[in-house]
Amino acid sequence: MTVQLSSPAGMLAPAPYHHVSVATGSRFVEVAGQVAHGADGVPADLAGQVALALRNTAVGLAGAGASFADVTRLRFFVTEWSSDQMDSFMAGVLAAAGELGIP
């Protein structure tokens, strides 16, 4: 599958994601319910939990012969969310992004 990512002029910039994805091909894989739980338990902080959930998602994708380069959408659910947690949340995304090839 080929995925083209873009952020057209006039949309929020800079953003830590692409606003538009166009996927072509005939294969569709869903990986759902990945949580921040690993062999060593659950990380204590939000950044660690986000990074581990992304790593677990990468394992699921690899099991289907895919990677984050094939992903068109990610959805996160965070309990007890407040906007002051955004920096910790993004720190977790950035901690995993390079190692996992998250565009």
Short mmCIF file of all heavy atoms in Angstrom, two decimals, residues 37-96:
data_model
loop_
_atom_site.label_atom_id
_atom_site.label_comp_id
_atom_site.label_asym_id
_atom_site.label_seq_id
_atom_site.Cartn_x
_atom_site.Cartn_y
_atom_site.Cartn_z
N HIS A 37 1.34 -1.53 28.46
CA HIS A 37 1.68 -2.63 29.36
C HIS A 37 2.69 -3.52 28.66
O HIS A 37 2.45 -3.97 27.54
CB HIS A 37 0.44 -3.44 29.73
CG HIS A 37 0.66 -4.34 30.89
ND1 HIS A 37 1.31 -5.54 30.78
CD2 HIS A 37 0.35 -4.19 32.19
CE1 HIS A 37 1.38 -6.11 31.97
NE2 HIS A 37 0.81 -5.31 32.85
N GLY A 38 3.81 -3.74 29.28
CA GLY A 38 4.84 -4.59 28.71
C GLY A 38 5.31 -5.62 29.71
O GLY A 38 4.73 -5.78 30.80
N ALA A 39 6.37 -6.32 29.38
CA ALA A 39 6.90 -7.37 30.25
C ALA A 39 7.30 -6.84 31.62
O ALA A 39 7.24 -7.57 32.62
CB ALA A 39 8.10 -8.04 29.56
N ASP A 40 7.68 -5.57 31.68
CA ASP A 40 8.10 -4.97 32.94
C ASP A 40 6.99 -4.20 33.63
O ASP A 40 7.24 -3.42 34.54
CB ASP A 40 9.29 -4.04 32.71
CG ASP A 40 10.51 -4.78 32.18
OD1 ASP A 40 10.66 -5.97 32.50
OD2 ASP A 40 11.30 -4.16 31.45
N GLY A 41 5.76 -4.38 33.20
CA GLY A 41 4.64 -3.66 33.80
C GLY A 41 4.28 -2.41 33.02
O GLY A 41 4.50 -2.33 31.81
N VAL A 42 3.75 -1.44 33.72
CA VAL A 42 3.29 -0.19 33.12
C VAL A 42 4.21 0.95 33.54
O VAL A 42 4.46 1.12 34.73
CB VAL A 42 1.84 0.13 33.57
CG1 VAL A 42 1.37 1.46 33.01
CG2 VAL A 42 0.89 -0.98 33.16
N PRO A 43 4.73 1.72 32.58
CA PRO A 43 5.56 2.87 32.95
C PRO A 43 4.80 3.84 33.85
O PRO A 43 3.58 3.99 33.72
CB PRO A 43 5.89 3.54 31.61
CG PRO A 43 5.73 2.44 30.60
CD PRO A 43 4.62 1.58 31.13
N ALA A 44 5.51 4.50 34.75
CA ALA A 44 4.88 5.37 35.73
C ALA A 44 4.38 6.69 35.15
O ALA A 44 3.42 7.26 35.65
CB ALA A 44 5.85 5.66 36.87
N ASP A 45 5.02 7.18 34.09
CA ASP A 45 4.64 8.49 33.58
C ASP A 45 3.94 8.38 32.23
O ASP A 45 4.02 7.38 31.54
CB ASP A 45 5.87 9.40 33.48
CG ASP A 45 6.90 8.91 32.46
OD1 ASP A 45 6.95 7.70 32.20
OD2 ASP A 45 7.63 9.76 31.93
N LEU A 46 3.22 9.44 31.89
CA LEU A 46 2.44 9.46 30.65
C LEU A 46 3.32 9.30 29.42
O LEU A 46 2.99 8.55 28.51
CB LEU A 46 1.62 10.75 30.56
CG LEU A 46 0.78 10.93 29.30
CD1 LEU A 46 -0.24 9.81 29.16
CD2 LEU A 46 0.10 12.29 29.30
N ALA A 47 4.47 9.98 29.39
CA ALA A 47 5.36 9.88 28.22
C ALA A 47 5.79 8.43 28.00
O ALA A 47 5.77 7.94 26.87
CB ALA A 47 6.58 10.78 28.41
N GLY A 48 6.15 7.74 29.05
CA GLY A 48 6.55 6.34 28.93
C GLY A 48 5.40 5.46 28.48
O GLY A 48 5.59 4.51 27.71
N GLN A 49 4.20 5.75 28.95
CA GLN A 49 3.03 4.97 28.56
C GLN A 49 2.70 5.16 27.09
O GLN A 49 2.40 4.19 26.38
CB GLN A 49 1.83 5.34 29.44
CG GLN A 49 2.01 4.89 30.87
CD GLN A 49 0.88 5.36 31.77
OE1 GLN A 49 -0.21 5.66 31.31
NE2 GLN A 49 1.15 5.42 33.07
N VAL A 50 2.77 6.40 26.61
CA VAL A 50 2.49 6.67 25.20
C VAL A 50 3.52 5.97 24.32
O VAL A 50 3.18 5.31 23.33
CB VAL A 50 2.47 8.20 24.92
CG1 VAL A 50 2.43 8.48 23.43
CG2 VAL A 50 1.29 8.84 25.62
N ALA A 51 4.81 6.08 24.69
CA ALA A 51 5.87 5.44 23.90
C ALA A 51 5.67 3.93 23.87
O ALA A 51 5.81 3.30 22.81
CB ALA A 51 7.24 5.80 24.47
N LEU A 52 5.33 3.31 25.00
CA LEU A 52 5.14 1.86 25.03
C LEU A 52 3.92 1.44 24.22
O LEU A 52 3.95 0.44 23.51
CB LEU A 52 5.03 1.36 26.47
CG LEU A 52 4.89 -0.14 26.63
CD1 LEU A 52 6.01 -0.90 25.92
CD2 LEU A 52 4.85 -0.52 28.10
N ALA A 53 2.84 2.21 24.28
CA ALA A 53 1.66 1.88 23.47
C ALA A 53 2.01 1.93 21.98
O ALA A 53 1.56 1.08 21.20
CB ALA A 53 0.51 2.83 23.79
N LEU A 54 2.83 2.89 21.58
CA LEU A 54 3.25 2.97 20.18
C LEU A 54 4.17 1.80 19.82
O LEU A 54 4.06 1.24 18.73
CB LEU A 54 3.95 4.31 19.90
CG LEU A 54 3.01 5.52 19.86
CD1 LEU A 54 3.80 6.81 19.86
CD2 LEU A 54 2.09 5.44 18.65
N ARG A 55 5.05 1.42 20.73
CA ARG A 55 5.91 0.25 20.47
C ARG A 55 5.07 -1.01 20.33
O ARG A 55 5.33 -1.85 19.46
CB ARG A 55 6.94 0.11 21.59
CG ARG A 55 8.01 1.17 21.55
CD ARG A 55 9.04 1.00 22.66
NE ARG A 55 9.96 2.11 22.65
CZ ARG A 55 9.99 3.06 23.59
NH1 ARG A 55 9.16 3.02 24.62
NH2 ARG A 55 10.85 4.05 23.50
N ASN A 56 4.05 -1.16 21.17
CA ASN A 56 3.16 -2.32 21.07
C ASN A 56 2.39 -2.30 19.76
O ASN A 56 2.18 -3.34 19.13
CB ASN A 56 2.19 -2.36 22.26
CG ASN A 56 2.89 -2.71 23.56
OD1 ASN A 56 4.00 -3.25 23.57
ND2 ASN A 56 2.26 -2.41 24.67
N THR A 57 2.00 -1.12 19.31
CA THR A 57 1.32 -0.99 18.02
C THR A 57 2.25 -1.42 16.89
O THR A 57 1.84 -2.11 15.96
CB THR A 57 0.84 0.46 17.81
OG1 THR A 57 -0.05 0.81 18.86
CG2 THR A 57 0.14 0.63 16.47
N ALA A 58 3.54 -1.05 16.99
CA ALA A 58 4.51 -1.44 15.97
C ALA A 58 4.65 -2.96 15.88
O ALA A 58 4.78 -3.51 14.79
CB ALA A 58 5.87 -0.80 16.26
N VAL A 59 4.58 -3.63 17.02
CA VAL A 59 4.65 -5.11 17.03
C VAL A 59 3.45 -5.68 16.29
O VAL A 59 3.58 -6.60 15.47
CB VAL A 59 4.73 -5.65 18.47
CG1 VAL A 59 4.58 -7.16 18.50
CG2 VAL A 59 6.04 -5.23 19.13
N GLY A 60 2.26 -5.13 16.53
CA GLY A 60 1.07 -5.59 15.83
C GLY A 60 1.15 -5.34 14.34
O GLY A 60 0.79 -6.20 13.53
N LEU A 61 1.63 -4.17 13.96
CA LEU A 61 1.79 -3.86 12.54
C LEU A 61 2.76 -4.82 11.88
O LEU A 61 2.49 -5.35 10.79
CB LEU A 61 2.28 -2.42 12.36
CG LEU A 61 1.28 -1.31 12.67
CD1 LEU A 61 1.99 0.05 12.74
CD2 LEU A 61 0.16 -1.28 11.64
N ALA A 62 3.89 -5.05 12.54
CA ALA A 62 4.90 -5.96 11.98
C ALA A 62 4.33 -7.36 11.80
O ALA A 62 4.64 -8.05 10.83
CB ALA A 62 6.14 -5.99 12.87
N GLY A 63 3.49 -7.78 12.73
CA GLY A 63 2.86 -9.10 12.63
C GLY A 63 1.98 -9.23 11.40
O GLY A 63 1.73 -10.34 10.92
N ALA A 64 1.52 -8.09 10.88
CA ALA A 64 0.70 -8.09 9.66
C ALA A 64 1.51 -7.71 8.44
O ALA A 64 0.95 -7.48 7.37
CB ALA A 64 -0.47 -7.12 9.83
N GLY A 65 2.84 -7.61 8.60
CA GLY A 65 3.69 -7.23 7.47
C GLY A 65 3.62 -5.76 7.14
O GLY A 65 3.83 -5.36 5.99
N ALA A 66 3.32 -4.92 8.13
CA ALA A 66 3.17 -3.48 7.90
C ALA A 66 4.07 -2.72 8.86
O ALA A 66 4.71 -3.30 9.74
CB ALA A 66 1.70 -3.07 8.10
N SER A 67 4.12 -1.40 8.68
CA SER A 67 4.87 -0.51 9.56
C SER A 67 4.09 0.80 9.68
O SER A 67 3.05 0.98 9.04
CB SER A 67 6.26 -0.25 9.00
OG SER A 67 6.18 0.59 7.87
N PHE A 68 4.63 1.73 10.47
CA PHE A 68 3.97 3.02 10.60
C PHE A 68 3.93 3.78 9.28
O PHE A 68 3.12 4.67 9.10
CB PHE A 68 4.63 3.86 11.69
CG PHE A 68 4.11 3.54 13.07
CD1 PHE A 68 4.84 2.74 13.92
CD2 PHE A 68 2.89 4.02 13.50
CE1 PHE A 68 4.36 2.42 15.18
CE2 PHE A 68 2.39 3.72 14.75
CZ PHE A 68 3.13 2.91 15.60
N ALA A 69 4.78 3.43 8.32
CA ALA A 69 4.72 4.06 7.00
C ALA A 69 3.42 3.74 6.29
O ALA A 69 3.01 4.44 5.37
CB ALA A 69 5.91 3.61 6.15
N ASP A 70 2.73 2.68 6.72
CA ASP A 70 1.46 2.28 6.12
C ASP A 70 0.25 2.83 6.86
O ASP A 70 -0.88 2.63 6.43
CB ASP A 70 1.36 0.74 6.11
CG ASP A 70 2.48 0.10 5.33
OD1 ASP A 70 2.66 0.48 4.15
OD2 ASP A 70 3.18 -0.75 5.89
N VAL A 71 0.46 3.50 7.98
CA VAL A 71 -0.64 3.96 8.83
C VAL A 71 -1.21 5.26 8.29
O VAL A 71 -0.48 6.19 7.97
CB VAL A 71 -0.14 4.15 10.28
CG1 VAL A 71 -1.19 4.83 11.15
CG2 VAL A 71 0.24 2.79 10.87
N THR A 72 -2.54 5.32 8.22
CA THR A 72 -3.21 6.54 7.79
C THR A 72 -3.88 7.26 8.96
O THR A 72 -4.25 8.42 8.83
CB THR A 72 -4.27 6.26 6.71
OG1 THR A 72 -5.25 5.38 7.24
CG2 THR A 72 -3.62 5.66 5.47
N ARG A 73 -4.04 6.57 10.09
CA ARG A 73 -4.72 7.20 11.22
C ARG A 73 -4.34 6.51 12.52
O ARG A 73 -4.28 5.29 12.58
CB ARG A 73 -6.23 7.11 11.03
CG ARG A 73 -7.02 7.67 12.14
CD ARG A 73 -8.49 7.54 11.83
NE ARG A 73 -9.28 7.94 12.96
CZ ARG A 73 -10.59 8.01 12.95
NH1 ARG A 73 -11.23 7.70 11.85
NH2 ARG A 73 -11.24 8.38 14.00
N LEU A 74 -4.08 7.31 13.54
CA LEU A 74 -3.89 6.82 14.90
C LEU A 74 -4.91 7.48 15.80
O LEU A 74 -5.19 8.68 15.65
CB LEU A 74 -2.49 7.18 15.42
CG LEU A 74 -1.31 6.40 14.90
CD1 LEU A 74 -0.01 7.03 15.39
CD2 LEU A 74 -1.38 4.96 15.33
N ARG A 75 -5.45 6.73 16.72
CA ARG A 75 -6.40 7.29 17.69
C ARG A 75 -5.92 6.91 19.07
O ARG A 75 -5.62 5.76 19.34
CB ARG A 75 -7.80 6.75 17.44
CG ARG A 75 -8.82 7.35 18.38
CD ARG A 75 -10.19 6.80 18.13
NE ARG A 75 -10.60 7.17 16.78
CZ ARG A 75 -11.72 6.73 16.22
NH1 ARG A 75 -12.52 5.92 16.86
NH2 ARG A 75 -12.04 7.10 15.00
N PHE A 76 -5.85 7.89 19.95
CA PHE A 76 -5.41 7.67 21.33
C PHE A 76 -6.56 7.95 22.28
O PHE A 76 -7.31 8.91 22.10
CB PHE A 76 -4.27 8.62 21.70
CG PHE A 76 -3.00 8.38 20.94
CD1 PHE A 76 -2.77 8.99 19.73
CD2 PHE A 76 -2.04 7.54 21.47
CE1 PHE A 76 -1.59 8.78 19.04
CE2 PHE A 76 -0.85 7.32 20.78
CZ PHE A 76 -0.62 7.94 19.57
N PHE A 77 -6.67 7.14 23.31
CA PHE A 77 -7.61 7.38 24.40
C PHE A 77 -6.78 7.48 25.67
O PHE A 77 -6.02 6.56 25.99
CB PHE A 77 -8.63 6.25 24.52
CG PHE A 77 -9.54 6.16 23.33
CD1 PHE A 77 -9.29 5.27 22.32
CD2 PHE A 77 -10.65 6.99 23.23
CE1 PHE A 77 -10.11 5.18 21.21
CE2 PHE A 77 -11.48 6.92 22.12
CZ PHE A 77 -11.22 6.02 21.12
N VAL A 78 -6.91 8.59 26.38
CA VAL A 78 -6.15 8.82 27.60
C VAL A 78 -7.15 9.07 28.72
O VAL A 78 -8.01 9.93 28.61
CB VAL A 78 -5.21 10.04 27.46
CG1 VAL A 78 -4.43 10.27 28.73
CG2 VAL A 78 -4.27 9.86 26.27
N THR A 79 -7.04 8.30 29.80
CA THR A 79 -7.94 8.50 30.92
C THR A 79 -7.50 9.69 31.75
O THR A 79 -6.32 10.05 31.78
CB THR A 79 -8.02 7.25 31.82
OG1 THR A 79 -6.72 6.99 32.34
CG2 THR A 79 -8.52 6.05 31.04
N GLU A 80 -8.46 10.32 32.39
CA GLU A 80 -8.21 11.46 33.27
C GLU A 80 -7.37 12.53 32.57
O GLU A 80 -6.43 13.08 33.14
CB GLU A 80 -7.54 10.99 34.56
CG GLU A 80 -8.40 9.99 35.32
CD GLU A 80 -7.73 9.46 36.57
OE1 GLU A 80 -6.84 10.14 37.12
OE2 GLU A 80 -8.10 8.36 37.00
N TRP A 81 -7.71 12.83 31.32
CA TRP A 81 -6.96 13.78 30.50
C TRP A 81 -7.20 15.22 30.93
O TRP A 81 -8.32 15.61 31.26
CB TRP A 81 -7.36 13.64 29.03
CG TRP A 81 -6.70 14.66 28.16
CD1 TRP A 81 -7.27 15.79 27.66
CD2 TRP A 81 -5.34 14.66 27.72
NE1 TRP A 81 -6.34 16.50 26.92
CE2 TRP A 81 -5.15 15.82 26.94
CE3 TRP A 81 -4.28 13.79 27.90
CZ2 TRP A 81 -3.94 16.13 26.35
CZ3 TRP A 81 -3.07 14.10 27.32
CH2 TRP A 81 -2.91 15.25 26.55
N SER A 82 -6.14 16.01 30.90
CA SER A 82 -6.25 17.46 31.03
C SER A 82 -5.22 18.07 30.07
O SER A 82 -4.20 17.46 29.77
CB SER A 82 -6.01 17.92 32.47
OG SER A 82 -4.70 17.60 32.88
N SER A 83 -5.51 19.25 29.59
CA SER A 83 -4.66 19.86 28.56
C SER A 83 -3.23 20.10 29.02
O SER A 83 -2.32 20.16 28.19
CB SER A 83 -5.29 21.16 28.06
OG SER A 83 -5.42 22.07 29.13
N ASP A 84 -2.99 20.20 30.31
CA ASP A 84 -1.62 20.41 30.78
C ASP A 84 -0.75 19.15 30.62
O ASP A 84 0.46 19.20 30.84
CB ASP A 84 -1.60 20.89 32.22
CG ASP A 84 -2.15 19.88 33.21
OD1 ASP A 84 -3.17 19.23 32.89
OD2 ASP A 84 -1.57 19.74 34.30
N GLN A 85 -1.33 18.04 30.17
CA GLN A 85 -0.58 16.82 29.94
C GLN A 85 -0.03 16.72 28.50
O GLN A 85 0.68 15.77 28.18
CB GLN A 85 -1.46 15.60 30.19
CG GLN A 85 -1.90 15.46 31.64
CD GLN A 85 -2.92 14.36 31.80
OE1 GLN A 85 -4.01 14.44 31.25
NE2 GLN A 85 -2.55 13.32 32.53
N MET A 86 -0.36 17.70 27.66
CA MET A 86 0.02 17.62 26.25
C MET A 86 1.53 17.50 26.06
O MET A 86 2.00 16.72 25.22
CB MET A 86 -0.51 18.82 25.47
CG MET A 86 -0.21 18.74 23.98
SD MET A 86 -0.84 17.24 23.19
CE MET A 86 -2.50 17.73 22.83
N ASP A 87 2.33 18.23 26.82
CA ASP A 87 3.78 18.15 26.66
C ASP A 87 4.29 16.74 26.97
O ASP A 87 5.13 16.20 26.24
CB ASP A 87 4.49 19.16 27.56
CG ASP A 87 4.34 20.59 27.07
OD1 ASP A 87 3.98 20.80 25.89
OD2 ASP A 87 4.57 21.52 27.88
N SER A 88 3.78 16.11 28.01
CA SER A 88 4.18 14.74 28.35
C SER A 88 3.72 13.76 27.29
O SER A 88 4.45 12.83 26.92
CB SER A 88 3.59 14.33 29.71
OG SER A 88 4.18 15.07 30.74
N PHE A 89 2.51 13.96 26.78
CA PHE A 89 1.98 13.10 25.72
C PHE A 89 2.88 13.16 24.49
O PHE A 89 3.31 12.14 23.95
CB PHE A 89 0.55 13.53 25.37
CG PHE A 89 -0.07 12.70 24.28
CD1 PHE A 89 -0.74 11.54 24.58
CD2 PHE A 89 0.02 13.10 22.96
CE1 PHE A 89 -1.31 10.77 23.58
CE2 PHE A 89 -0.55 12.34 21.95
CZ PHE A 89 -1.22 11.18 22.26
N MET A 90 3.21 14.38 24.05
CA MET A 90 4.04 14.55 22.86
C MET A 90 5.47 14.06 23.10
O MET A 90 6.12 13.56 22.19
CB MET A 90 4.04 16.01 22.40
CG MET A 90 2.71 16.44 21.80
SD MET A 90 2.10 15.33 20.50
CE MET A 90 3.43 15.38 19.33
N ALA A 91 5.96 14.16 24.33
CA ALA A 91 7.29 13.63 24.65
C ALA A 91 7.31 12.12 24.41
O ALA A 91 8.29 11.57 23.91
CB ALA A 91 7.67 13.95 26.09
N GLY A 92 6.22 11.45 24.73
CA GLY A 92 6.13 10.01 24.48
C GLY A 92 6.09 9.69 23.00
O GLY A 92 6.74 8.75 22.54
N VAL A 93 5.36 10.48 22.24
CA VAL A 93 5.31 10.29 20.79
C VAL A 93 6.70 10.49 20.20
O VAL A 93 7.19 9.67 19.41
CB VAL A 93 4.30 11.26 20.13
CG1 VAL A 93 4.41 11.20 18.61
CG2 VAL A 93 2.87 10.93 20.57
N LEU A 94 7.36 11.57 20.58
CA LEU A 94 8.69 11.87 20.04
C LEU A 94 9.73 10.84 20.47
O LEU A 94 10.64 10.52 19.70
CB LEU A 94 9.12 13.28 20.45
CG LEU A 94 8.29 14.41 19.85
CD1 LEU A 94 8.68 15.75 20.44
CD2 LEU A 94 8.41 14.43 18.34
N ALA A 95 9.59 10.30 21.67
CA ALA A 95 10.54 9.28 22.15
C ALA A 95 10.48 8.03 21.28
O ALA A 95 11.50 7.37 21.05
CB ALA A 95 10.24 8.92 23.60
N ALA A 96 9.31 7.69 20.77
CA ALA A 96 9.15 6.48 19.97
C ALA A 96 9.24 6.74 18.48
O ALA A 96 9.53 5.82 17.71
CB ALA A 96 7.81 5.83 20.30
#
